[in-house]
Amino acid sequence: IIVGVTIPITISATGPRIPPTSLRAEDLLASRSALTDNFEDYLSNISDPETFKVNESPQKAAINWLIYNDSMKLMPSDLQTIPRYILMVLYFANDGEFWNLNWENTLDTCEWERVHCVNGTKVEVSALSLRGIGMRGTLPTELLHLKELTALDISDNNNLIEKDFPSVILRMTQIEKLVLSGTGLKGTIPSGISNLTHLQRLVFNSNSFKGILPTEMKEMINLEEFIVNDNNLHGDLFQIATKWSKLKKLDVANNDFSEQIPTEIGYLRNIETLQLRKNNFTGNLPTEFGMLISLKELIISSNSLDGSIPTELAQCSPLEKLRLDYNDLKSTIPT
């Protein structure tokens, strides 16, 4: 027998019914606090736990969004939690509320605009195509935990706080395609870029990079496209580039390269586009240009080349576009 407790019970045709009770406000707060603690514990290997103590941090904002605003109502151990959290850290670190993307709706993470995932999965982010969305901030280290991320395009976002080459990118060793054009970046190209040995496409044109290309870059033997036009780079380009045997497109237009084009240019058997205009290349055009059996476009106008145009150029049967003007070259173009 229990004395002192009265519970009203309604008798109906279907049996007794006990009226529902609601959580008290203090119980609700305690429940949310516990959930926050659970998220922070679970994500402590993704973010520095100290960032969770700062209410205005992107990491704290991302956790609060997962708990209070995300209609998916994920729990910490759900498969989508980590990629969704990482992308929201990026979002809050770069004024995402002004992006005009659908990242705050109810869609699965891999259905968000500009987010691409490994085929057949809903959690493995493979590419971020964030060109011209108005990013204002930095790339968070949390991106390093997107282990399947092989393509990143943040071009035409020229309000990034970090103006040097983003240090977090130098640790994305799995990256294959990297596009940083028109981002307002400056300074020198760090030697650590050579750690990105899987890179196939590297684009950072229309920035303010200066200095020489690190010699370590010759180790990036998987490069197929190297596009760095409209910067202030100089040095021994071909000492590095002729090591890239898979190279199909090389565009260094409007820089300050001033070397002679070496005979080793003939090593680039897969090159299709060679864009060298508006530099200070000197000397003769080597006869080894005739070995470039895949060459479709050769633009070397506005340099300081002299001598004769090699007849071997006629051996480049795929050649469709040739510009040699504004040099001191003699003789006619071979046919």
Side-chain angles (χ1 to χ4, degrees), residues 269-281:
R269 299 296 182 89
N270 293 303
I271 198 76
E272 297 176 359
T273 299
L274 191 54
Q275 173 62 270
L276 307 176
R277 66 180 175 82
K278 290 190 176 180
N279 279 279
N280 295 298
F281 291 110

Side-chain angles (χ1 to χ4, degrees), residues 2 12 18 32 34 42 48 66 69 71 81 107 114 119 125 127 137 165 214 216 244-245 260 266 286 292 305:
I2 300 176
S12 68
I18 301 177
R32 288 181 172 178
Y42 189 78
D48 181 351
L66 286 169
N69 301 106
S71 59
T81 294
L107 298 175
R114 314 291 190 94
N119 290 338
V125 177
F165 198 99
E216 292 88 348
W244 301 334
S245 61
Q260 292 191 18
L292 305 182
L305 300 169

Side-chain angles (χ1 to χ4, degrees), residues 25-261:
E26 56 266 30
D27 293 333
L28 182 60
L29 289 174
S31 175
R32 288 181 172 178
S33 177
L35 186 57
T36 299
D37 291 342
N38 288 339
F39 268 101
E40 292 180 357
D41 288 342
Y42 189 78
L43 297 169
S44 61
N45 291 326
I46 306 297
S47 299
D48 181 351
E50 292 298 313
T51 61
F52 301 146
K53 300 177 182 179
V54 181
N55 288 331
E56 293 78 19
S57 72
Q59 293 79 9
K60 187 68 173 180
I63 287 180
N64 286 340
W65 180 82
L66 286 169
I67 295 173
Y68 301 115
N69 301 106
D70 187 3
S71 59
M72 289 195 73
K73 301 302 179 186
L74 298 172
M75 297 303 292
S77 59
D78 287 333
L79 289 177
Q80 287 203 49
T81 294
I82 288 180
R84 207 166 177 89
Y85 166 75
I86 291 172
L87 293 180
M88 290 309 294
V89 171
L90 174 66
Y91 178 93
F92 287 114
N94 288 275
D95 286 351
E97 61 269 27
F98 300 109
W99 291 0
N100 195 28
L101 299 182
N102 68 346
W103 282 24
E104 288 194 88
N105 68 15
T106 60
L107 298 175
D108 286 341
T109 312
C110 293
E111 295 180 15
W112 286 358
E113 290 180 75
R114 314 291 190 94
V115 177
H116 310 276
C117 292
V118 177
N119 290 338
T121 77
K122 291 187 177 182
V123 295
E124 301 290 353
V125 177
S126 60
L128 294 175
S129 305
L130 306 178
R131 177 179 180 180
I133 62 173
M135 294 174 64
R136 300 170 180 266
T138 59
L139 295 178
T141 57
E142 284 80 3
L143 289 173
L144 297 173
H145 293 273
L146 296 178
K147 298 300 185 182
E148 300 299 323
L149 184 66
T150 57
L152 177 64
D153 183 349
I154 59 169
S155 59
D156 297 333
N157 290 289
N158 58 8
N159 288 310
L160 296 175
I161 293 175
E162 189 174 14
K163 291 302 182 183
D164 292 330
F165 198 99
S167 56
V168 66
I169 290 178
L170 300 178
R171 297 163 60 189
M172 295 180 177
T173 54
Q174 80 282 4
I175 207 79
E176 297 175 0
K177 299 176 183 179
L178 179 61
V179 184
L180 305 174
S181 54
T183 49
L185 297 175
K186 60 182 181 180
T188 57
I189 306 301
S191 60
I193 197 173
S194 62
N195 295 327
L196 308 182
T197 55
H198 294 286
L199 263 182
Q200 299 171 12
R201 185 169 191 253
L202 177 57
V203 182
F204 51 84
N205 60 289
S206 304
N207 282 298
S208 298
F209 287 116
K210 62 182 180 180
I212 64 173
L213 298 177
T215 56
E216 292 88 348
M217 289 186 69
K218 63 186 178 182
E219 305 298 330
M220 302 170 69
I221 58 175
N222 289 305
L223 269 181
E224 297 179 7
E225 293 187 23
F226 184 63
I227 303 172
V228 296
N229 54 288
D230 299 304
N231 280 283
N232 298 298
L233 298 168
H234 61 86
D236 294 326
L237 168 67
F238 290 107
Q239 180 184 357
I240 297 169
T242 51
K243 305 297 183 184
W244 301 334
S245 61
K246 298 180 181 180
L247 197 64
K248 295 181 179 179
K249 183 173 184 177
L250 176 65
D251 188 343
V252 297
N254 199 19
N255 276 283
D256 296 318
F257 293 106
S258 58
E259 63 190 298
Q260 292 191 18
I261 300 176

Side-chain angles (χ1 to χ4, degrees), residues 303-323:
N303 278 283
S304 299
L305 300 169
D306 55 29
S308 299
I309 300 174
T311 58
E312 287 80 2
L313 270 177
Q315 300 174 20
C316 301
S317 54
L319 192 61
E320 300 172 350
K321 188 174 183 180
L322 176 64
R323 289 283 304 274

